């Protein structure tokens, strides 16, 4: 089992470099990450974007750039399409979102003819250290699917279970997060959670222990779970939190960064390759760890 980000990083480094196509790379933060991951030996980057701007920013930041690693496409939508095509052609192993609108990037990835879709739903997973420090935990979907229906939630859950298994978390414990732990017919997310739990019980969701609805306190804390009298193998021991919608997920992801000051990484699962889709709000460390995480998954696919 990968117990922490340090172990993850070491493991990726031991596997050798991966090639990342960065869509719309003309951006300070993006070029800093490129510099960091290349120096660390995690990856080499193909920079798709406005060549003049890339060189200008690199000069200001004193970052060395191999001119042959730049593909000059100033338009960000076109740059995203090109980065996607590099992956399809096998010229890059991974794709990373640079400085462009999330929707534009995702539309290039999701294109039916020339994108990176499979027959699965694409969904984002945030990875962080467990509060007790004992291993990694996953939170999904904090950035892609806006308001998934029950089938969408099932696929989001399954993508996260796939990632957990790659990280060697065997039979991960999945909490379906809601505001309360009781089924409340006026709160449809609680009924979705109850149905998904029953589906897991009947073998319709595999390789995981699933329970919900659970509130954050009783998903994470054995004391809270005991206090509420919840008898569940998942309560207080969750490896994966499945949030009901993007608003909850996004706030949880950002609260790890801005309130708790945690190290986190994220990845989009379900496509032909892992997708690195960090946002402006993410710290340079998050971007670096997200590259490490995606490299690790790609190596273990
Ligand atoms: N996985 C696989 N296919 C998908 C997915 C997905 N998650 N989402 C849409 N599709 C497919 C649909 O089946 C359809 O064939 C095609 O893509 C277009 O679907 P639409 O019309 O629903 O797609 P869009 O372009 O309106 O929206 C797709 C986005 C992913 C762009 C949209 O869901 C979105 O904007 N999500 C939020 C992203 C965001 O702003 N995140 C910010 C986090 S900081």
């Amino acid at each position: 089992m990968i117990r922490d980000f340090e172990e993850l990083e070491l493991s990726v480094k031991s596997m050798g470099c991966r090639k990342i196509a960065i869509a719309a790379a003309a951006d300070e933060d993006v070029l800093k990450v490129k510099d960091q991951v290349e120096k660390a030996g995690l990856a080499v980057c193909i920079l798709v974007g406005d060549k003049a701007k890339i060189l200008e920013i690199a000069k200001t930041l004193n970052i060395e750039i191999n001119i042959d690693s730049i593909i000059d496409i100033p338009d960000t939508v076109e740059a995203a399409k090109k980065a996607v095509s590099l992956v399809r052609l096998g010229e890059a192993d991974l794709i990373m979102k640079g400085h462009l609108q999330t929707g534009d990037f995702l539309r290039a990835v999701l294109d039916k003819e020339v994108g990176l879709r499979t027959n699965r739903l694409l969904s984002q997973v945030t990875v962080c250290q467990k509060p007790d420090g004992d291993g990694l935990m996953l939170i999904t979907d904090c950035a892609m699917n806006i308001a998934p229906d029950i089938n969408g939630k099932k696929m989001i859950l399954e993508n996260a279970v796939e990632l957990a298994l790659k990280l060697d978390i065997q039979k991960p414990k999945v909490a379906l997060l809601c505001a309360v732990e009781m089924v409340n017919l006026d709160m449809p997310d609680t009924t979705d959670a109850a149905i998904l739990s029953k589906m897991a019980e009947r073998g319709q969701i595999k390789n995981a222990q699933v329970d919900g609805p659970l509130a954050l306190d009783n998903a994470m804390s054995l004391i809270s779970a005991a206090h509420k009298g919840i008898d569940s193998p998942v309560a207080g021991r969750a490896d994966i939190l499945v949030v009901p919608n993007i608003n909850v997920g996004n706030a949880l992801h950002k609260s790890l960064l801005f309130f708790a000051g945690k190290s986190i990484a994220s990845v989009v699962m379900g496509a032909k390759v892992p997708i690195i889709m960090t946002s402006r709000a993410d710290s340079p460390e998050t971007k670096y760890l997200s590259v490490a995480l995606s490299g690790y998954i790609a190596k273990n696919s």
Side-chain angles (χ1 to χ4, degrees):
M1 184 165 91
I2 298 286
R3 304 210 77 82
D4 54 33
F5 286 125
E6 211 174 305
E7 231 178 82
L8 182 83
E9 203 185 326
L10 284 175
S11 172
V12 184
K13 281 184 185 170
S14 71
M15 295 165 169
C17 254
R18 288 258 136 181
K19 251 191 195 168
I20 306 178
I22 306 185
D27 175 71
E28 275 196 18
D29 286 355
V30 170
L31 292 182
K32 281 182 191 165
V33 177
K34 167 227 135 44
D35 195 43
Q36 208 187 353
V37 300
E38 287 188 346
K39 280 183 176 152
L42 286 186
V44 287
C45 303
I46 304 172
L47 307 173
V48 188
D50 187 325
K51 185 174 180 177
K53 265 198 200 157
I54 291 172
L55 291 174
E56 189 189 317
I57 297 167
K59 195 173 169 197
T60 318
L61 297 174
N62 207 15
I63 289 173
E64 212 175 291
I65 300 266
N66 172 1
I67 223 112
D68 295 335
S69 71
I70 305 177
I71 298 177
D72 186 21
I73 302 182
D75 182 81
T76 55
V77 173
E78 293 306 317
K81 289 182 187 165
K82 179 67 183 177
V84 166
S85 83
L86 291 174
V87 175
R88 281 181 69 96
L89 292 169
E91 288 170 29
D93 306 302
L94 300 167
I95 182 167
M96 179 170 181
K97 173 182 167 284
H99 186 41
L100 80 165
Q101 293 294 325
T102 304
D104 288 343
F105 176 72
L106 286 176
R107 273 184 277 278
V109 167
L110 288 171
D111 188 282
K112 274 196 180 122
E113 271 92 51
V114 292
L116 299 172
R117 285 167 73 152
T118 58
N119 56 0
R120 295 162 53 191
L121 188 81
L122 271 63
S123 56
Q124 181 271 3
V125 187
T126 296
V127 178
C128 64
Q129 190 81 41
K130 281 188 173 169
D132 63 5
D134 188 22
L136 295 173
M137 71 174 298
L138 283 53
I139 307 172
T140 186
D141 175 333
C142 308
M144 185 153 185
N145 293 281
I146 297 171
D149 60 12
I150 190 156
N151 201 33
K153 287 175 184 172
K154 177 173 178 279
M155 291 189 271
I156 288 169
L157 189 167
E158 288 169 338
N159 279 345
V161 169
E162 184 195 327
L163 173 54
L165 294 177
K166 283 185 196 298
L167 293 168
D168 280 332
I169 304 171
Q170 297 303 323
K171 198 105 180 150
K173 298 177 176 62
V174 183
L176 299 157
L177 215 60
C178 288
V180 290
E181 58 285 345
M182 294 299 183
V183 175
N184 179 335
L185 299 181
D186 293 328
M187 298 167 85
D189 287 318
T190 67
T191 54
D192 283 2
I195 293 167
L196 287 164
S197 300
K198 185 51 87 178
M199 287 172 83
E201 214 179 291
R202 293 280 188 266
Q204 290 173 273
I205 297 171
K206 302 199 187 325
N207 301 321
Q209 288 179 285
V210 180
D211 196 12
L214 287 170
L216 185 63
D217 52 339
N218 40 64
M220 299 301 297
S221 154
L222 283 171
I223 296 169
S224 293
H227 187 69
K228 291 262 169 79
I230 302 169
D231 179 19
S232 151
V234 175
R237 302 180 183 88
D239 299 303
I240 300 176
L241 301 177
V242 177
V243 300
N245 60 51
I246 197 171
N247 294 320
V248 175
N250 197 263
L252 201 47
H253 172 106
K254 287 178 180 161
S255 65
L256 288 171
L257 287 171
F258 291 97
F259 286 127
K262 284 266 192 189
S263 296
I264 60 172
S266 79
V267 62
V268 172
M269 300 289 289
K272 291 197 167 111
V273 296
I275 296 171
I276 307 156
M277 195 185 77
T278 54
S279 75
R280 286 246 128 212
D282 286 320
S283 64
E285 187 198 26
T286 299
K287 290 177 176 132
Y288 176 84
L289 293 176
S290 301
V291 172
L293 176 66
S294 302
Y296 179 85
I297 301 166
K299 290 279 181 188
N300 287 283
S301 294

